[in-house]
Amino acid sequence: MQAAESRTSSKVAEPLHDDEIHVWWLDYRREHGRAPLRALLAGYLGAVPEMLAFVEGEHGRPSLAEPHGALAFNWSHSGDHALLAIARGIVPGIDLERLRPRPRAMDIARRYFCVEETEALAALGPQQRDDAFLSLWTAKEAVLKATGRGIAYGLDRLQFTVPPAPSRLLRLDGDDASAWQLQSLVPASGHVASLAWRGPARRIRLLTLAGAS
């Protein structure tokens, strides 16, 4: 099921309903560290940003420490922008990439992707192949981040449909692929992203923090 998507702009956190996932598009520089993340999460919690504490899971995924652990998040940055996914009751995973030529796309696919994905990519034209590769890459990252693992788990241990087909998880070793939701996002021109979570479909609200371009 395709999740509904809307876009708005705001300087403060929006009310987060239990059937929603909020995805924030914001300006980001590495020197900012976790300050933008803290500020947005604090807006949802009515807390002072500096008082929020984070804990890391077995594979390094950060989450909020108690008493705020019920609010789940994941974020990804590329270049000068970032995406932050926030939800309750599920654990989201998100990955953001800039669209640009990928001369080594097929080399990477042959080494790390499953055979079916690699063959489907090889059948595409060069421009289609670059875009499809990034769609696959962000989908794999998003699912693995939602599971709490990183790409060291093995990118060939999960399989997706290959664009131009709608993005869908076909296989995830040790799990039921049909239990997962996957949403492709285009947060801004020149960027592509994927959002994943385990559980029923939810409404996705794509929000832009005032000042982000």
Side-chain angles (χ1 to χ4, degrees):
M1 179 184 295
Q2 191 80 5
E5 185 175 337
S6 61
R7 177 183 288 272
T8 186
S9 298
S10 179
K11 292 183 179 180
V12 298
E14 300 283 326
L16 175 63
H17 301 290
D18 289 343
D19 63 346
E20 292 182 331
I21 300 174
H22 288 185
V23 178
W24 285 89
W25 169 254
L26 60 150
D27 293 332
Y28 179 75
R29 308 289 188 277
R30 286 188 180 273
E31 57 266 27
H32 294 167
R34 287 180 173 175
L37 172 64
R38 287 180 180 275
L40 274 171
L41 293 175
Y44 282 88
L45 296 164
V48 177
E50 292 73 21
M51 296 301 293
L52 297 183
F54 297 94
V55 294
E56 290 191 353
E58 179 182 356
H59 303 285
R61 178 195 166 103
S63 59
L64 283 166
E66 296 300 336
H68 304 305
L71 189 68
F73 71 91
N74 192 230
W75 77 328
S76 176
H77 51 83
S78 181
D80 294 336
H81 293 93
L83 282 179
L84 169 63
I86 303 174
R88 292 189 177 94
I90 54 97
V91 179
I94 197 162
D95 190 58
L96 171 70
E97 297 287 344
R98 287 180 293 171
L99 290 171
R100 60 183 186 271
R102 302 280 173 158
R104 296 187 59 247
M106 285 308 302
D107 292 337
I108 295 171
R110 290 189 182 99
R111 183 172 181 180
Y112 296 109
F113 291 2
C114 65
V115 172
E116 296 85 351
E117 293 167 337
T118 303
E119 291 177 346
L121 285 172
L124 299 174
Q127 180 61 55
Q128 283 183 305
R129 185 181 303 133
D130 283 349
D131 293 349
F133 172 83
L134 277 181
S135 293
L136 275 174
W137 184 272
T138 59
K140 288 175 181 285
E141 284 263 32
V143 170
L144 289 176
K145 290 171 75 174
T147 66
R149 304 181 180 101
I151 60 175
Y153 177 73
L155 295 176
D156 61 338
R157 298 182 68 182
L158 59 171
Q159 179 188 346
F160 297 83
T161 53
V162 176
S167 192
R168 184 164 60 91
L169 178 62
L170 301 175
R171 174 176 57 84
L172 175 59
D173 286 2
D175 203 343
D176 177 9
S178 66
W180 284 81
Q181 306 290 332
L182 181 67
Q183 180 69 47
S184 298
L185 302 172
V186 183
S189 177
H191 293 78
V192 64
S194 292
L195 172 68
W197 68 97
R198 196 181 196 282
R202 292 197 173 197
R203 187 164 70 102
I204 299 167
R205 297 187 63 193
L206 184 58
L207 302 137
T208 301
L209 190 65
S213 56

